[in-house]
Amino acid sequence: MKIVFIGDIVGSVGRKALKAMLPKLKHAHPNAVFIANGENAAAGRGITAAIAREFYDWGIHGLTMGNHTWDQKEIFDFIDDDERMVRPANFPPGTPGRGHTVIKVKDKELVIVNLQGRTFLPPIDCPFRKADEIVEALKKKYKYVLVDFHAEATSEKIAMGWHLDGRVSAVVGTHTHVQTNDNRVLPGGTAYVTDVGMTGPRDGILGMERLAVLQKFKTQLPVRFVTDEGKWHLNAVVIELHDTGLAKNIQLVRFDEDQVWFD
């Protein structure tokens, strides 16, 4: 199995980047499962039903979320019915939506699991214990398991990679929007990267308009952040898996609107 995981899609510029590049990525990886983090897709905060449908129509097979899951109030109207979308599994019991799901592409089944870190983020349930609970329930039936760990601290993400090494196919970090250069297959066979990066405005600050962010840092006064406009970049990883469910390799992908595109 091959997985293409596309980093946090931010606002209209991120959606533009995905629409432009997804056909090319599908041409380059015709049998891959395409997963994306969509928690910033609606103006940088949350996702709407219309945007999710658009992503599915373009060829995204599954969507993961994160700490902005609930920012668009209409999410409560559709998240229970959307079997291709997962929100962090370690939200408290009774939370709408699902923390993991099975994506079927041709004759393959991929479980996608979403977890959220607790360092510098709201103190929800323990992601490590929730990961153990889910993996224990799944391991007898499914070989291919991808975990999106949506977390702020690099140490917490690295810890999750080691915690799940040899037990899942891949642990990919999201949330911090800057692609890290530590992609590797861990000794137990789990593909890992601390952060996939973001898909959205190239010249903002983590996707937000940079003058507002600079004003916040310089003055510490309240500032309204809005998504940046202009040129885009797309960050992703390509993960190849053995028939055992463990990883062969994980490669970084980065495209810039100004660069020459592959055929």
Side-chain angles (χ1 to χ4, degrees), residues 12 75 87 131 172:
S12 60
I75 191 78
R87 47 78 176 155
V172 297

Side-chain angles (χ1 to χ4, degrees), residues 103-172:
I103 303 298
K104 296 182 180 180
V105 177
K106 297 183 178 179
D107 61 338
K108 303 289 187 182
E109 293 182 321
L110 171 68
V111 180
I112 54 173
V113 181
N114 201 186
L115 295 165
Q116 184 173 308
R118 299 191 295 182
T119 305
F120 310 125
L121 284 173
I124 57 177
D125 294 347
C126 177
F128 295 90
R129 291 190 177 93
K130 179 55 71 170
D132 288 343
E133 177 186 317
I134 292 172
V135 170
E136 182 65 27
L138 295 175
K139 67 180 183 180
K140 292 181 180 179
K141 186 173 181 181
Y142 299 103
K143 290 191 298 184
Y144 304 109
V145 180
L146 170 78
V147 177
D148 172 357
F149 191 32
H150 197 80
E152 182 80 21
T154 54
S155 57
E156 192 176 15
K157 294 182 186 181
I158 294 167
M160 183 63 76
W162 286 111
H163 183 65
L164 292 176
D165 184 28
R167 298 196 286 157
V168 300
S169 305
V171 175
V172 297

Side-chain angles (χ1 to χ4, degrees), residues 11-251:
S12 60
V13 175
R15 302 196 304 270
K16 177 182 176 183
L18 183 68
K19 186 175 183 180
M21 291 306 300
L22 193 56
K24 298 174 184 296
L25 287 167
K26 283 187 167 288
H27 178 73
H29 308 286
N31 297 313
V33 182
F34 284 79
I35 309 297
N37 184 287
E39 71 129 21
N40 300 126
R45 291 175 172 82
I47 196 168
T48 65
I51 290 172
R53 283 196 301 271
E54 191 171 57
F55 290 167
Y56 298 144
D57 289 344
W58 293 346
I60 292 295
H61 297 116
L63 288 168
T64 59
M65 298 293 285
N67 60 299
H68 289 294
T69 298
W70 316 114
D71 286 9
Q72 298 293 325
K73 300 309 178 187
E74 71 172 79
I75 191 78
F76 296 101
D77 297 331
F78 70 87
I79 193 169
D80 282 332
D81 298 322
D82 190 339
E83 296 182 354
R84 291 180 284 182
M85 181 183 293
V86 289
R87 47 78 176 155
N90 55 318
F91 280 140
T95 300
R98 52 188 55 79
H100 68 275
T101 195
V102 180
I103 303 298
K104 296 182 180 180
V105 177
K106 297 183 178 179
D107 61 338
K108 303 289 187 182
E109 293 182 321
L110 171 68
V111 180
I112 54 173
V113 181
N114 201 186
L115 295 165
Q116 184 173 308
R118 299 191 295 182
T119 305
F120 310 125
L121 284 173
I124 57 177
D125 294 347
C126 177
F128 295 90
R129 291 190 177 93
K130 179 55 71 170
D132 288 343
E133 177 186 317
I134 292 172
V135 170
E136 182 65 27
L138 295 175
K139 67 180 183 180
K140 292 181 180 179
K141 186 173 181 181
Y142 299 103
K143 290 191 298 184
Y144 304 109
V145 180
L146 170 78
V147 177
D148 172 357
F149 191 32
H150 197 80
E152 182 80 21
T154 54
S155 57
E156 192 176 15
K157 294 182 186 181
I158 294 167
M160 183 63 76
W162 286 111
H163 183 65
L164 292 176
D165 184 28
R167 298 196 286 157
V168 300
S169 305
V171 175
V172 297
T174 58
H175 177 68
T176 50
H177 288 200
V178 177
Q179 189 177 80
T180 56
N181 195 33
D182 61 342
N183 54 302
R184 62 180 292 198
V185 177
L186 296 172
T190 294
Y192 175 80
V193 67
T194 296
D195 203 281
V196 178
M198 61 165 275
T199 295
R202 181 192 66 190
D203 298 324
I205 296 177
L206 304 185
M208 297 295 111
E209 197 278 320
R210 65 179 180 269
L211 292 180
V213 179
L214 284 167
Q215 183 181 350
K216 175 67 175 178
F217 277 122
K218 290 189 291 184
T219 68
Q220 292 302 300
L221 294 174
V223 174
R224 181 174 179 266
F225 292 163
V226 296
T227 53
D228 197 41
E229 300 297 330
K231 301 287 188 177
W232 55 257
H233 64 173
L234 180 147
N235 288 263
V237 290
V238 177
I239 304 165
E240 290 190 84
L241 305 177
H242 294 286
D243 288 341
T244 61
L246 296 176
K248 294 181 182 178
N249 58 66
I250 175 170
Q251 296 179 323

